[in-house]
Amino acid sequence: MTAPELASTAEVAALAAIHEAGFPPGMAWPAADMLGLMEMPGCFVLWKPDRALIMCRVAGGEAEVLTLATCPPARRQGLASRLLDAAIAACRGFGAEALFLEVGAGNAAAQGLYCAAGFTEVARRPRYYADGTDAIVMTLRLS
């Protein structure tokens, strides 16, 4: 499989379509919100067009996974794992020493992905998501 591509702001509509396909109704980010994040310093998106994306932001020695989405037909093929690995490498390349993320407490598949990559739970945010679900805060030391 070829390496993930670095997405540009010109591809925001396609990125938003992947995000919409990958999240439950009402949870996906609109293209305008994604564009606003992409234009922030330190933000980057890696993707496999029409299949999956990961968006991260690096600042002050820390990095954050802002979102990771995989279209349903592309799931269970290791694509999210490869995107996460590429994002981890990119964050290291930008000098980040730690990578953080939030994941829904009920999202066992995503939690498994992150645990397999070496992330550990460091906190919980009660009722963090709009549907009332807690967020699990996870981190990975990069240095």
Side-chain angles (χ1 to χ4, degrees):
M1 172 176 271
T2 60
E5 300 174 22
L6 183 63
S8 74
T9 56
E11 294 156 326
V12 72
L15 295 168
I18 291 170
H19 206 262
E20 183 175 2
F23 279 85
M27 298 286 287
W29 297 349
D33 291 355
M34 293 187 86
L35 181 61
L37 288 167
M38 291 176 75
E39 291 176 334
M40 293 178 67
C43 188
F44 66 91
V45 179
L46 299 175
W47 73 322
K48 297 299 284 182
D50 302 318
R51 298 178 67 203
L53 67 87
I54 187 168
M55 179 185 287
C56 298
R57 180 176 48 204
V58 180
E62 294 183 344
E64 179 181 14
V65 174
L66 299 173
T67 194
L68 188 152
T70 304
C71 293
R75 291 181 181 160
R76 309 309 264 167
Q77 299 173 22
L79 186 55
S81 180
R82 288 190 294 278
L83 280 171
L84 183 58
D85 289 346
I88 290 168
C91 290
R92 278 190 179 113
F94 287 122
E97 297 176 5
L99 179 58
F100 294 88
L101 59 84
E102 286 119 4
V103 60
N107 191 341
Q111 290 173 45
L113 169 72
Y114 299 132
C115 286
F119 284 82
T120 57
E121 181 176 341
V122 293
R124 281 190 176 245
R125 295 186 177 159
R127 297 170 304 282
Y128 180 77
Y129 294 104
D131 66 358
T133 303
D134 290 356
I136 298 172
V137 181
M138 303 182 85
T139 188
L140 175 69
R141 298 308 276 148
L142 299 177
S143 57

